Amino acid sequence: MEAGGLAWLLGPAQQLVSWGAAGAMVFGGVVPYVPQYREIRRTQNAEGFSTYVCLVLLVANILRILFWFGRRFESPLLWQSIIMIITMLLMLKLCTEVRVSNELNIKRRSFAAADSKDEEIKAPPKRSYLDFDLNYFWHWSKFADYVQCVLTFTGVTGYITYLWLDSSLFVETLGFLAVFTEAMLGVPQLYRNYQNRSTEGMSVKMVLMWTSGDTFKTVYFILNQAPFQFSICGLLQVFVDIAILLQVYLYSYYPQKPASHPAHPASTKAL
């Protein structure tokens, strides 16, 4: 009787744990970006956050969804990709609006400082996805350009996947590219911090959440026997997160002078 009662309690408990783990996988990935989003909205400054992080995650999750069509993995991982794509688009929208607004304000101040009545306030030059200028790639003036780029990438890769869906080699390679790209998530931020010799403007809470989330995710992959690409690249992602945390410690306790760079368009910076 006791064994039966224990089994009756364990069944729902295990189900709750399973649902909790699935929910953490679906929504846990977007949680780290909440403090960064709020920080950018509060300060109206997106300089400390690299929008190439958004590019990496958009590419990785689009490829992961396409991989699902060739090799069905757990539904929580699929929904995680959908939620992450929406989140990254929201981050891009905010960063673009803030950056363009700041550029316009700087332009206005520069004309005011010139104290010339004949000068006319001009808006900063608009940069478009359709200009096909690699110098301004992923540094466009309108959010719509980012959406066009994402839709174009999705359409092209989706068509190629449709043509090669019967090839197991292609499908496995697609899965590896998806998780390897995601594993490189922290690299733009790592490089951005190295260029600035500082982590100022970057949300440390975001990186701590990256680390805890990636650790949980990697353990989840291993325990649920997800495709091997997921586990290997999950470990790589954790190592990159730890490297960024080491930068936080290094630049906080041993401040360094910003690296001198030759003059170049602001657009070449990783915003």
Side-chain angles (χ1 to χ4, degrees), residues 83-131:
I83 298 296
M84 183 61 75
I85 288 172
I86 295 171
T87 302
M88 290 302 102
L89 289 175
L90 290 174
M91 287 290 295
L92 275 174
K93 186 174 186 297
L94 175 64
C95 291
T96 304
E97 290 173 351
V98 168
R99 186 185 69 241
V100 172
S101 175
N102 289 342
E103 286 178 353
L104 184 58
N105 288 336
I106 290 171
K107 195 76 173 178
R108 284 173 176 163
R109 285 196 296 270
S110 67
F111 278 113
D115 195 26
S116 174
K117 295 180 180 179
D118 296 329
E119 285 284 10
E120 186 178 310
I121 296 176
K122 299 178 182 178
K126 291 185 178 180
R127 295 178 283 272
S128 171
Y129 160 67
L130 296 177
D131 291 340

Side-chain angles (χ1 to χ4, degrees), residues 125-166:
K126 291 185 178 180
R127 295 178 283 272
S128 171
Y129 160 67
L130 296 177
D131 291 340
F132 301 108
D133 188 340
L134 292 179
N135 291 324
Y136 297 111
F137 177 76
W138 211 248
H139 195 89
W140 302 306
S141 302
K142 292 183 179 179
F143 173 65
D145 291 309
Y146 293 95
V147 175
Q148 289 180 46
C149 181
V150 170
L151 290 177
T152 301
F153 176 78
T154 304
V156 172
T157 52
Y159 181 67
I160 294 173
T161 301
Y162 173 76
L163 294 178
W164 290 86
L165 203 57
D166 293 333

Side-chain angles (χ1 to χ4, degrees), residues 22-270:
M25 282 301 302
V26 173
F27 297 102
V30 305
V31 172
Y33 300 97
V34 174
Q36 184 70 71
Y37 186 92
R38 294 178 63 184
E39 180 73 10
I40 293 172
R41 280 188 66 88
R42 184 181 66 83
T43 62
Q44 289 297 296
N45 185 351
E47 286 292 328
F49 176 71
S50 172
T51 54
Y52 285 102
V53 169
C54 300
L55 174 62
V56 169
L57 279 175
L58 284 168
V59 170
N61 284 282
I62 290 168
L63 293 179
R64 188 196 284 186
I65 291 173
L66 295 176
F67 177 52
W68 182 84
F69 287 100
R71 183 175 176 184
R72 301 297 171 90
F73 46 80
E74 289 193 328
S75 296
L77 298 179
L78 177 64
W79 281 106
Q80 181 199 45
S81 292
I82 295 171
I83 298 296
M84 183 61 75
I85 288 172
I86 295 171
T87 302
M88 290 302 102
L89 289 175
L90 290 174
M91 287 290 295
L92 275 174
K93 186 174 186 297
L94 175 64
C95 291
T96 304
E97 290 173 351
V98 168
R99 186 185 69 241
V100 172
S101 175
N102 289 342
E103 286 178 353
L104 184 58
N105 288 336
I106 290 171
K107 195 76 173 178
R108 284 173 176 163
R109 285 196 296 270
S110 67
F111 278 113
D115 195 26
S116 174
K117 295 180 180 179
D118 296 329
E119 285 284 10
E120 186 178 310
I121 296 176
K122 299 178 182 178
K126 291 185 178 180
R127 295 178 283 272
S128 171
Y129 160 67
L130 296 177
D131 291 340
F132 301 108
D133 188 340
L134 292 179
N135 291 324
Y136 297 111
F137 177 76
W138 211 248
H139 195 89
W140 302 306
S141 302
K142 292 183 179 179
F143 173 65
D145 291 309
Y146 293 95
V147 175
Q148 289 180 46
C149 181
V150 170
L151 290 177
T152 301
F153 176 78
T154 304
V156 172
T157 52
Y159 181 67
I160 294 173
T161 301
Y162 173 76
L163 294 178
W164 290 86
L165 203 57
D166 293 333
S167 169
S168 59
L169 177 61
F170 173 82
V171 171
E172 293 301 324
T173 302
L174 183 65
F176 174 77
L177 288 175
V179 290
F180 181 75
T181 303
E182 186 174 358
M184 296 293 102
L185 165 65
V187 173
Q189 192 67 57
L190 187 75
Y191 181 66
R192 174 75 168 171
N193 297 340
Y194 172 75
Q195 276 190 317
N196 294 343
R197 298 293 193 271
S198 169
T199 56
E200 185 179 355
M202 182 196 74
S203 172
V204 179
K205 288 181 182 178
M206 178 186 72
V207 182
L208 287 171
M209 289 180 181
W210 275 356
T211 308
S212 57
D214 292 338
T215 303
F216 169 81
K217 183 170 61 179
T218 303
V219 173
Y220 182 91
F221 290 157
I222 295 172
L223 293 180
N224 287 274
Q225 298 181 336
F228 76 95
Q229 301 101 318
F230 285 55
S231 302
I232 294 173
C233 293
L235 289 170
L236 178 59
Q237 201 166 350
V238 172
F239 290 144
V240 174
D241 296 340
I242 292 173
I244 296 176
L245 289 175
L246 287 175
Q247 283 184 323
V248 173
Y249 172 80
L250 178 64
Y251 297 143
S252 296
Y253 290 93
Y254 304 98
Q256 301 180 33
K257 293 181 180 180
S260 58
H261 300 286
H264 54 74
S267 61
T268 59
K269 294 182 181 178

